[in-house]
Amino acid sequence: MSSDGQVIENSPRASKREELLDWLGLFARLALGGVVFVAGAIKIPTPYKAAAAMRAYELLPNSLASFFGYILPWFEVGLGALLILGVFTRLSGLVGALLMVLFIGAIASAWARGLSIDCGCFGGGGEIDPSQTKYLQEIIRDIGLAICGFYLYYRPSSRFALDNRGK
Amino acid sequence: MASKNRGPQRGGRNNQPDPITRWIVIGMVLLVVVIGAVFTVVSNKSASNVALPPGASAADGYGIVFNADKSPTINIWEDFQCPSCKRFEDTNGAKIAEVINQGKAKVVFNTLSFLGPESVVAGMGAGCAADQGKFLEYKKFLYDNQQQEGSGTWDKPYIISMATAMGLDETKFSACLNTDKYRKWLTNVSAAGGEANINGTPTVVIDGNIIESDQQGINYYTPEGFNAQLVKYGIN
């Protein structure tokens, strides 16, 4: 890495490009981290709702679904905080991306099985009227966020990250 | 300054990363996440040795039971703050009272409290009203005067004034509500709701079958729609 760095350092054009990509990294961190943090924070005050939203997917045994429903909001807040602050960006980005892939799979499976539920992503959740399902929008949003996460995995360097301290 | 502080490939003044700050941050984040998650799981667990209001039965999801010896069994899972529950009560409250009074079924009211702190206060109040034998009257009074969900109106003084207005003994009621006598009971009801896969309110369960409105052509927000479900189980 550091020998590559020297090469890049010598080329002003490449350096300009690097700087732009660093800003892109900041955008990816704040987009994924911000959404995940807010999604978690909204759900923390109403754990029953979060657990119910998880159960409504009918993917896990009841008690396990409730358990994950209780802990997921806290996990999201933690992950979101790490991404926003830019700590362990590469790992946080990967975990965030994998979480999104998991969400996409769960939503797609609910859709395919003909359930009519709200994703419960930002609170809410549970069964809703079939006309109110928004599976496609939810999946597109999560794909966008997954791309942010994978980008950070491949290129974790970004502006205003705690990871940059002391380097 | 910022330009000197970027990623390793930029070659800043000092190529030795200083991980201490990062470890402190990740340590704090992990601490908050673990404590929060453990607290949430533990505080939503059902507990034994919990004070139950008169009529409440552990075997019936800690709901308040009317006509314990009758069948079929109707469970009504509700949250006093939920607007659909008010619709359900406005539509079918009288019918359910009739079913109870004429002994046509065992009816269990499971008070959930998942829509925020107002639901918890209102739910604890239901237990306190049951202490005075006025659970159904309290429930109806709350729905008749339901506030906007999450508006914060239903705090303890407000619920006490409502209970007083509907004729409950103020001293007894406020002593009960102010000491959170039935908070753990509500937690047990909620845990039972999780086990019973109750994911929204109101949810009507007859003899263990979850009957969902707006699914498979069922609509229990009209008297005819609800009665049609009752008839299926022999309640006329």
Side-chain angles (χ1 to χ4, degrees), chain A residues 9 55 74 127 164 166-167, chain B residues 5 10 14 16 40 212:
Chain A
E9 186 88 18
R55 289 193 297 267
W74 290 98
E127 275 119 22
N164 301 344
K167 282 179 184 167
Chain B
N5 278 343
R10 305 286 303 170
N14 175 5
Q16 284 297 321
T40 305
E212 281 164 317

Side-chain angles (χ1 to χ4, degrees), chain B residues 39-210:
Chain B
F39 176 79
T40 305
V41 170
V42 170
S43 64
N44 283 289
K45 265 205 156 60
S46 195
S48 47
N49 294 324
V50 166
L52 300 182
S57 137
D60 295 287
Y62 290 93
I64 293 183
V65 180
F66 293 84
N67 302 341
D69 51 346
K70 293 283 192 303
S71 70
T73 301
I74 307 174
N75 283 74
I76 296 168
W77 297 82
E78 59 191 331
D79 184 310
F80 297 134
Q81 262 205 103
C82 119
S84 302
C85 301
K86 176 180 166 55
R87 263 176 80 201
F88 181 81
E89 172 78 21
D90 290 349
T91 313
N92 305 311
K95 175 73 188 178
I96 292 167
E98 182 195 309
V99 168
I100 293 173
N101 292 333
Q102 300 184 1
K104 290 176 175 172
K106 172 177 169 183
V107 180
V108 185
F109 296 97
N110 300 84
T111 303
L112 292 174
S113 49
F114 68 110
L115 297 174
E118 302 92 339
S119 293
V120 176
V121 174
M124 291 194 297
C128 300
D131 271 352
Q132 302 186 33
K134 290 276 194 322
F135 172 79
L136 288 175
E137 293 83 348
Y138 172 91
K139 186 166 100 80
K140 182 173 188 321
F141 195 75
L142 251 63
Y143 282 127
D144 286 346
N145 297 282
Q146 197 186 51
Q147 306 290 315
Q148 202 199 335
E149 189 182 323
S151 64
T153 314
W154 279 357
D155 56 8
K156 283 179 181 172
Y158 193 91
I159 291 291
I160 290 168
S161 71
M162 283 179 84
T164 311
M166 59 159 285
L168 293 177
D169 183 300
E170 184 178 1
T171 316
K172 282 186 198 161
F173 187 89
S174 56
C176 168
L177 189 64
N178 285 331
T179 52
D180 288 5
K181 184 176 173 190
Y182 290 125
R183 185 180 286 274
K184 285 183 173 167
W185 165 61
L186 286 182
T187 305
N188 281 14
V189 176
S190 297
E195 280 166 30
N197 203 19
I198 306 301
N199 301 331
T201 50
T203 297
V204 177
V205 182
I206 306 183
D207 276 353
N209 301 313
I210 294 180

